Amino acid sequence: MGLIMGGSVGACLGCLIGFYSTMKFGPGPRGYLGTIGQYALGSGASFGFFMMIGSCIRSDSNSLLSVEDKALLKANMDRWKAPTPKPVAFYMAKTSKTE
C-alpha cells in the first residue's frame, strides 16, 4: 500500500518538477514528454520505495503489543464504530403510521 501511495504522490511531484524544469531549461534531447516522464518515474520510484519501507516498518510493530494492549485497542476502536443503518422498511413503517 505504501508503494502505491508513495509512487502516485512521487509521480505527481515529479510531473510538476519536470514541467518546471522543461519550461526553465528546455526539453533537451528527449523532448518534452520524455523529460517530464523521466522526472515522474524517477521521483515516483524513489518516493514509493521509501514509503513502502516505512509502511512495512510501521505494520510490523503490531506484534510488539501485549494481549492486554491489543484488547484495549480493539475495545476503543469498537466504541467509535458507526451503528448499522436500519432497513428502508423501518422508516417507511414510521411514515405510514403518522399519516
Side-chain angles (χ1 to χ4, degrees):
M1 192 65 164
L3 177 67
I4 295 170
M5 289 185 346
S8 60
V9 169
C12 290
L13 288 174
C15 283
L16 291 174
I17 293 169
F19 182 74
Y20 174 76
S21 175
T22 55
M23 291 299 117
K24 186 169 183 176
F25 302 113
R30 296 178 52 93
Y32 284 104
L33 194 58
T35 304
I36 293 172
Q38 185 177 10
Y39 274 98
L41 286 175
S43 178
S46 61
F47 196 68
F49 177 73
F50 288 114
M51 283 287 287
M52 177 183 64
I53 291 174
S55 67
C56 288
I57 291 171
R58 183 178 174 144
S59 66
D60 285 345
S61 65
N62 191 19
S63 63
L64 300 176
L65 294 175
S66 67
V67 175
E68 294 85 14
D69 290 338
K70 287 181 184 178
L72 182 63
L73 284 173
K74 183 169 177 14
N76 285 337
M77 287 172 50
D78 288 342
R79 182 176 61 176
W80 293 103
K81 193 181 294 183
T84 57
K86 294 182 171 61
V88 175
F90 175 79
Y91 296 109
M92 296 302 287
K94 271 189 163 180
T95 56
S96 64
K97 288 179 185 177
T98 57
E99 290 179 2

